[in-house]
Amino acid sequence: MDNITMPVDLGKFAGVKDFLTQEELIKYKKTFSKTYKASQQKSKRTHCYYCNEPCNSFCNSHTIPAFCLKYIATNGKLFHMNTMVDIPFLKKDKGVNEAGTFHIICRDCDSKIFQDYENENNYDKKPTTKMLAQIAMKNSLKLISKRELEDALYDEMTSKLGFPSSIGNFKHMVNEMDLKEYIFAYNKAKKSSLKPFDGDYYIYTYIELPYRVPIAFQGSVSLICDLEGKVINNIYNYNANYEIKNVHLCVFPFKSKSIILFFVENGNKRYSSFFKQFKKLSHKEQLKVVNYIIFAYTEDFFMSPELSEDTIAKLTKTACKSTELVSLNPFTNGIDAATEHFSYTEMNSIPNILSEEYQIKEENDEA
């Protein structure tokens, strides 16, 4: 799944502590850490992806604007996917500085090319085309970084950990197809950010809430089906000519409001039926859909530690959907099983943390 932003699918490791001794867990953690560091080194670039200038120290770039993360953090900490699945060799919480970061552009570029969309003062009205292009560019860079790291990680797992070469080769093939799409989207976004034209991107949904939600998300998501179960993206179609089409989704919390944004690049008609259905829903139901998509389809969301253990527990099953998908057999189940897997019926049975009930009140802010 191209919208999963961890270096490996977390679902493969969920529950691992239940069948390993403490000594085995320590060994497992050390092995994974060593393999991951080797993969990072192998995939490390020598030049900035944006300006192509030599770079020794890459910027710690945030996918989500840092100001959004700070508005929902408690003592500088945030909950994330592993707060739910509790994989023993990953942190249960993250600091703001390490939340949703990647490292393929230089500090100079990072400080300049995202200035418009990362300025919270620019959200007194709908984002401009330039801001949308910057969001799309950042999303593409994160996905490119992830796929490059994954390629190196699969090589390390095959050569050092006995990972089946057939699976590794298959993953490389899928990654290569994904990378072509991400690079194309990145180049288009870069061009638009430098010379924005109305119509480069289309905003399907812009919702402003008069309160601060306890979650932040920014990413490019490939939905499998619409609200009526019709296929949007057949993720099991490996024909080189078939393109997975993404929609950009942002949930940005501010001090006393929040913004939810759905948009696509010009020419992307794949989501027309979905948003026709979406716009017919009540405001409350729309928030439920967005809430469900974040937890069912993505992993790179960040939440306020003020959310209760009960709320987190009730969201965990849905949050594992994207990782459980890897267990579906594409040759026997295929897209029908995936469509059923991501049915929106579950959205009514989980806490909707985008609703006013879960807002972060200003009196709870740190002094």
Side-chain angles (χ1 to χ4, degrees):
M1 292 289 291
D2 57 1
N3 42 317
I4 298 175
T5 49
M6 292 297 293
V8 292
D9 294 316
L10 289 180
K12 295 177 180 178
F13 300 99
V16 68
K17 67 177 184 178
D18 296 332
F19 56 84
L20 294 179
T21 65
Q22 187 62 33
E23 183 179 347
E24 288 172 330
L25 278 173
I26 293 173
K27 184 179 179 180
Y28 203 87
K29 183 176 181 179
K30 288 181 178 178
T31 301
F32 180 84
S33 178
K34 184 178 180 180
T35 303
Y36 185 61
K37 286 179 181 178
S39 303
Q40 285 180 309
Q41 191 61 36
K42 187 174 182 178
S43 64
K44 186 176 180 181
R45 290 180 162 270
T46 57
H47 292 68
C48 170
Y49 199 91
Y50 186 88
C51 67
N52 203 34
E53 292 294 323
C55 183
N56 293 320
S57 179
F58 292 89
C59 183
N60 191 47
S61 302
H62 285 84
T63 301
I64 305 169
F67 73 82
C68 294
L69 299 173
K70 290 175 182 177
Y71 278 133
I72 63 173
T74 299
N75 297 321
K77 296 293 184 180
L78 298 156
F79 282 173
H80 66 128
M81 180 66 167
N82 200 48
T83 307
M84 298 175 164
V85 299
D86 192 18
I87 297 167
F89 47 86
L90 296 176
K91 293 181 179 179
K92 290 198 67 173
D93 56 27
K94 283 192 174 185
V96 169
N97 289 336
E98 59 181 345
T101 58
F102 62 96
H103 311 88
I104 61 173
I105 59 175
C106 67
R107 297 180 187 280
D108 188 49
C109 284
D110 187 75
S111 66
K112 296 176 181 178
I113 63 178
F114 304 116
Q115 280 186 343
D116 292 76
Y117 109 87
E118 290 187 338
N119 182 347
E120 63 178 303
N121 295 321
N122 288 339
Y123 288 88
D124 56 346
K125 55 185 177 181
K126 285 187 178 182
T128 63
T129 297
K130 187 172 185 178
M131 291 167 68
L132 297 177
Q134 290 177 0
I135 292 171
M137 184 165 57
K138 179 72 78 76
N139 290 346
S140 296
L141 285 170
K142 178 63 186 290
L143 290 170
I144 290 168
S145 175
K146 176 181 181 287
R147 283 296 183 257
E148 290 181 343
L149 175 58
E150 280 183 341
D151 268 342
L153 184 60
Y154 290 131
D155 285 341
E156 287 294 312
M157 291 172 69
T158 299
S159 61
K160 305 287 178 59
L161 302 179
F163 193 69
S165 59
S166 58
I167 298 178
N169 291 336
F170 176 76
K171 290 288 188 179
H172 283 310
M173 180 197 73
V174 174
N175 277 8
E176 184 178 350
M177 293 170 64
D178 286 344
L179 273 171
K180 289 180 180 178
E181 295 176 7
Y182 302 157
I183 292 170
F184 179 83
Y186 163 75
N187 287 331
K188 186 173 183 178
K190 181 178 180 180
K191 181 180 179 181
S192 181
S193 69
L194 294 171
K195 294 182 178 181
F197 292 96
D198 290 341
D200 284 348
Y201 294 92
Y202 177 76
I203 296 177
Y204 268 118
T205 299
Y206 181 84
I207 300 173
E208 184 170 322
L209 302 172
Y211 53 87
R212 192 190 324 173
V213 296
I215 186 170
F217 176 78
Q218 178 189 321
S220 181
V221 186
S222 53
L223 299 184
I224 291 174
C225 57
D226 64 19
L227 299 175
E228 296 176 357
K230 182 181 178 181
V231 174
I232 297 176
N233 286 294
N234 184 352
I235 60 171
Y236 296 125
N237 187 335
Y238 300 117
N239 187 315
N241 295 321
Y242 182 82
E243 293 183 20
I244 298 294
K245 295 291 186 179
N246 294 344
V247 60
H248 297 282
L249 171 60
C250 303
V251 177
F252 290 162
F254 295 77
K255 185 174 180 63
S256 56
K257 68 176 183 180
S258 301
I259 288 172
I260 297 172
L261 176 66
F262 270 121
F263 71 96
V264 296
E265 71 280 1
N266 182 34
N268 182 354
K269 305 295 184 182
R270 192 79 63 85
Y271 290 87
S272 298
S273 63
F274 173 84
F275 283 106
K276 283 181 181 178
Q277 298 158 9
F278 184 84
K279 289 178 180 179
K280 292 178 181 179
L281 299 176
S282 67
H283 173 74
K284 182 179 180 180
E285 292 297 301
Q286 288 181 349
L287 294 184
K288 286 184 179 181
V289 170
V290 177
N291 182 70
Y292 175 78
I293 287 173
I294 291 174
F295 287 103
Y297 278 91
T298 80
E299 290 187 1
D300 211 12
F301 51 80
F302 296 94
M303 303 174 291
S304 167
E306 293 181 19
L307 289 170
S308 69
E309 290 185 9
D310 182 62
T311 298
I312 296 296
K314 289 177 179 177
L315 288 166
T316 298
K317 181 181 177 182
T318 301
C320 288
K321 276 186 174 291
S322 59
T323 57
E324 290 170 352
L325 187 65
V326 298
S327 66
L328 295 179
N329 186 334
F331 304 106
T332 59
N333 297 306
I335 191 61
D336 290 340
T339 299
E340 183 179 353
H341 186 73
F342 283 100
S343 167
Y344 292 88
T345 55
E346 194 174 303
M347 73 179 194
N348 293 309
S349 61
I350 61 173
N352 177 15
I353 64 172
L354 297 177
S355 66
E356 190 171 4
E357 176 187 354
Y358 293 94
Q359 67 175 297
I360 298 177
K361 297 181 180 180
E362 291 188 34
E363 56 262 33
N364 293 336
D365 290 346
E366 298 174 23

